[in-house]
Amino acid sequence: MSSYLITIGTIIAIQAITVCGLNVIVGYAGQISLGHAAFFGIGAYSAALLSTKAGLSFWAGLPFVVLISGFVGLLLGLPSLRVREDFLAITTIGINFIVEAVFLYVPFFGGALGIGGIPRIYLFGLKLKGLAFFSLCLFFLVIVLLVCWWFSRSWAGLACFALREEESAASSMGISPVRFKLLAFVVGTAMAGVGGALYAHYMRFIAATDFSFPVSISFLSMVVLGGMGTLWGPLVGALILGALPELFRPVENYRILFYMVLLLLMIRFQPGGILGERSLLRHKILPALLGGRS
Amino acid sequence: MQLFLEQLLNGIAMGSIYALVTLGLALVYGILRILHVAHAALYTVGAYMGLLFFNLTGSLILGFLGSMACCAFLGVLIERFVYYPLLKYPPYVPLIGSIAVMLAIEEMCRLVAGPYILTFPARLPFPELHLGGIQISSTLLAVYSITAGVLLFLWYLTTRTELGLAMRATSQDLSIADAMGINSHFIVSVTFVIGSAVAAIAGILVGIYYNQVYPTMGAVPAYKTLALIVVGGMGSVPGAVIASLLLGVAETILIGYANIPLPRDALAFIAMIGVLMWRSEGLLGSR
């Protein structure tokens, strides 16, 4: 593989990890979040600060990164419990703006200069770059997918599905909305934290604008495009929306317009996403390919 | 003291412009329960169209009218082809659609008009006022009087006419209004026409106030007005106006006097989360 392909693959894998986390919040628990880039950023900044200021290696810092992003997810999930649906969407937009402003204006976080000089990751004394770093990202992606798979089959995941479908009915069956919504928030933000840590060590320079609101939109587009609440949906969404900008390099000027028209058509005609429950692919194309078995 | 009063007047002008943008959003939310983020894109289009008509004809009145007509048409298109078919899905589906529409329109503006800042060299035909040493510029006076005029017109329309009665009925329950013989789809379109035309007015006023028109001018209002309708109480028009005025004044005074190291947009959102924690239904909302 050329290094160009490896670079794109690494970015897509990092985004897929983060988007899987968003899928836990939005797809599994039905909590619409428009501020996921903030949690991605919290992971990246804590990894960067732990390695540049505290001098920890990536591996020693990773548990702290997961703890910090999960804890911040818990804190920021608390106000979200009081509000629902539309209110929640706006609150999470607000959280994204506030977190970005804090990164940009507080000198401790590097201010407008960002944080540079983040060290590379070492494994058994070997410097990870290129293909090795890509494999590391794939390794984490597999772990995240396994956690998602386990979560969707565990009791907690089933409770989240029940809350997503009908909150009052689920809570009358004894499922605590507070506990499981917060759990989904913590799991989702911890995954975003892992993605952010990998991003920081891959880019080796981060700035507040990497985690602004449009990034949240693109994460959400990936979940919507792939199919909310499915296991493979976020991966498919991240692959498609991650590869498209490269394929459309010749018409770069029209890229965002094209993106948005695609998202609009998608949401207009297939609101469930490519792999969603009532999608064309699942009900028409796959059965036809499999020879009438459905 | 004099400086403070001038700051206050600027703050009220800021708040009036917020109110003009938020108004359309509150109307749409009241009637369809959709967060119409693309409203801020209509505001950008309004500013561009106003500039285009002004440059073509040299008349500001024609600029206002042409731009209002274009925005109203665009608003109805968005309602007809994006929101109406998506009403049956959970609320995040139209919300994502709306964000896509907003960014697509923003990109269109950038591709058609170019990414640079255009100037809006128009002067509004209002006199300057001097009250005991305090000067009120013609632009400020124009912002005040146009906002007041729009608010009075809307108040009259919604409370004193039959169309307003139908609008209020539709906002209470769309399907029951339909059953009572109101053509609710027509009422929804009328709401979009009014909201979008008001957004166009706000766009032109901002363009003249700052003498700048650029493709991303709708980005900050888009999210800030969402915060404002939340604080005002979802769909409550008086609440949205009060919240806008409060925010405009608070921002201007805070930036002028308190030394807070965060930008004003972040402050607006912190205030919003504070209000939500205190009253989760907003200032004038009801549950």
Side-chain angles (χ1 to χ4, degrees):
Chain A
M1 274 206 284
S2 70
S3 63
Y4 172 67
L5 280 181
I6 291 175
T7 309
I8 297 165
T10 311
I11 297 288
I12 290 179
I14 291 173
Q15 285 182 337
I17 292 171
T18 315
V19 170
C20 280
L22 183 60
N23 188 38
V24 171
I25 301 175
V26 180
Y28 291 178
Q31 299 285 92
I32 185 82
S33 168
L34 283 168
H36 205 59
F39 301 111
F40 183 55
I42 287 167
Y45 266 87
S46 43
L49 287 173
L50 282 172
S51 57
T52 55
K53 294 211 170 151
L56 291 177
S57 74
F58 170 75
W59 301 101
L62 191 63
F64 291 106
V65 171
V66 171
L67 277 180
I68 291 172
S69 36
F71 181 68
V72 176
L74 183 72
L75 278 187
L76 297 184
L78 280 176
S80 321
L81 285 177
R82 278 179 62 86
V83 294
R84 272 188 215 180
E85 289 171 357
D86 295 340
F87 288 85
L88 179 62
I90 302 167
T91 312
T92 49
I93 296 178
I95 287 173
N96 200 157
F97 274 90
I98 294 168
V99 168
E100 193 195 344
V102 168
F103 286 155
L104 196 57
Y105 284 84
V106 177
F108 179 72
F109 295 109
L113 294 174
I115 299 180
I118 303 165
R120 288 188 186 281
I121 299 177
Y122 286 86
L123 185 64
F124 305 124
L126 281 173
K127 217 187 242 181
L128 292 186
K129 55 182 179 183
L131 196 58
F133 197 92
F134 181 47
S135 321
L136 181 77
C137 292
L138 284 185
F139 169 72
F140 276 106
L141 180 57
V142 169
I143 291 183
V144 163
L145 280 173
L146 278 175
V147 172
C148 283
W149 177 81
W150 172 79
F151 187 76
S152 66
R153 268 151 190 76
S154 69
W155 201 82
L158 295 178
C160 283
F161 290 153
L163 283 173
R164 177 189 67 186
E165 295 303 330
E166 189 58 62
E167 190 175 322
S168 41
S171 60
S172 74
M173 302 295 283
I175 296 170
S176 152
V178 173
R179 187 185 299 165
F180 290 105
K181 279 181 183 174
L182 277 184
L183 181 71
F185 246 96
V186 170
V187 172
T189 50
M191 286 177 185
V194 174
L198 287 170
Y199 181 81
H201 283 277
Y202 184 67
M203 287 300 180
R204 303 176 62 208
F205 169 79
I206 51 173
T209 45
D210 296 348
F211 313 108
S212 58
F213 181 63
V215 182
S216 293
I217 298 287
S218 70
F219 287 153
L220 193 66
S221 320
M222 288 173 187
V223 176
V224 172
L225 189 77
M228 276 190 202
T230 57
L231 180 64
W232 298 103
L235 193 61
V236 171
L239 260 177
I240 295 176
L241 284 187
L244 273 183
E246 306 307 323
L247 294 177
F248 284 86
R249 198 53 83 187
V251 283
E252 192 166 11
N253 218 2
Y254 299 89
R255 209 172 69 196
I256 301 177
L257 182 64
F258 178 80
Y259 250 47
M260 288 307 148
V261 171
L262 188 76
L263 180 63
L264 197 61
L265 288 176
M266 194 66 210
I267 203 99
R268 173 70 179 73
F269 295 106
Q270 292 271 280
I274 291 178
L275 293 180
E277 266 171 28
R278 278 180 291 277
S279 74
L280 215 57
L281 187 68
R282 262 203 182 175
H283 283 258
K284 294 268 161 59
I285 299 173
L286 275 186
L289 285 180
L290 296 176
R293 279 186 296 138
S294 65
Chain B
M1 191 60 205
Q2 190 186 341
L3 191 70
F4 177 79
L5 281 179
E6 277 176 1
Q7 292 273 30
L8 191 68
L9 289 172
N10 277 324
I12 296 174
M14 238 7 242
S16 311
I17 291 171
Y18 284 150
L20 283 181
V21 189
T22 314
L23 212 68
L25 208 62
L27 280 175
V28 170
Y29 190 83
I31 209 156
L32 281 187
R33 306 277 142 191
I34 282 179
L35 288 172
H36 178 34
V37 184
H39 192 67
L42 292 175
Y43 151 97
T44 313
V45 172
Y48 270 107
M49 281 304 179
L51 183 59
L52 176 74
F53 281 108
F54 175 72
N55 283 342
L56 281 181
T57 61
S59 147
L60 202 54
I61 308 268
L62 278 181
F64 267 106
L65 290 179
S67 150
M68 281 159 74
C70 288
C71 283
F73 181 64
L74 196 57
V76 172
L77 280 188
I78 294 175
E79 179 263 322
R80 207 41 72 89
F81 292 108
V82 183
Y83 294 153
Y84 213 73
L86 291 179
L87 273 182
K88 55 180 181 289
Y89 295 109
Y92 60 81
V93 173
L95 175 66
I96 296 168
S98 181
I99 292 174
V101 172
M102 141 126 190
L103 293 177
I105 294 180
E106 217 173 62
E107 277 299 296
M108 285 294 283
C109 288
R110 187 179 67 85
L111 290 171
V112 173
Y116 14 79
I117 296 176
L118 303 176
T119 55
F120 204 138
R123 304 260 315 144
L124 287 155
F126 280 85
E128 259 184 38
L129 277 189
H130 294 273
L131 290 175
I134 299 161
Q135 184 190 349
I136 304 176
S137 71
S138 64
T139 328
L140 277 186
L141 200 63
V143 170
Y144 297 151
S145 30
I146 292 177
T147 309
V150 168
L151 286 180
L152 268 177
F153 167 74
L154 277 179
W155 170 79
Y156 182 80
L157 184 82
T158 49
T159 57
R160 295 286 185 277
T161 61
E162 206 155 305
L163 180 67
L165 191 67
M167 280 170 73
R168 278 183 291 149
T170 313
S171 73
Q172 283 199 347
D173 195 314
L174 206 120
S175 44
I176 291 185
D178 235 358
M180 302 305 274
I182 294 168
N183 183 351
S184 64
H185 199 170
F186 172 74
I187 299 295
V188 169
S189 301
V190 168
T191 313
F192 268 83
V193 166
I194 296 172
S196 311
V198 174
I201 298 178
I204 299 179
L205 279 182
V206 170
I208 297 176
Y209 188 68
Y210 292 112
N211 199 12
Q212 285 180 347
V213 178
Y214 52 99
T216 53
M217 65 189 283
V220 169
Y223 312 119
K224 214 183 260 181
T225 49
L226 286 185
L228 283 173
I229 64 165
V230 171
V231 169
M234 290 292 217
S236 154
V237 173
V241 172
I242 292 173
S244 309
L245 287 175
L246 275 180
L247 180 71
V249 171
E251 268 184 5
T252 318
I253 304 270
L254 272 180
I255 298 296
Y257 289 91
N259 227 340
I260 297 173
L262 286 177
R264 47 166 66 185
D265 311 331
L267 290 179
F269 279 111
I270 291 175
M272 176 196 79
I273 292 179
V275 169
L276 276 184
M277 291 300 99
W278 167 49
R279 272 177 71 90
S280 62
E281 68 278 10
L283 288 178
L284 293 189
S286 56
R287 264 288 154 92

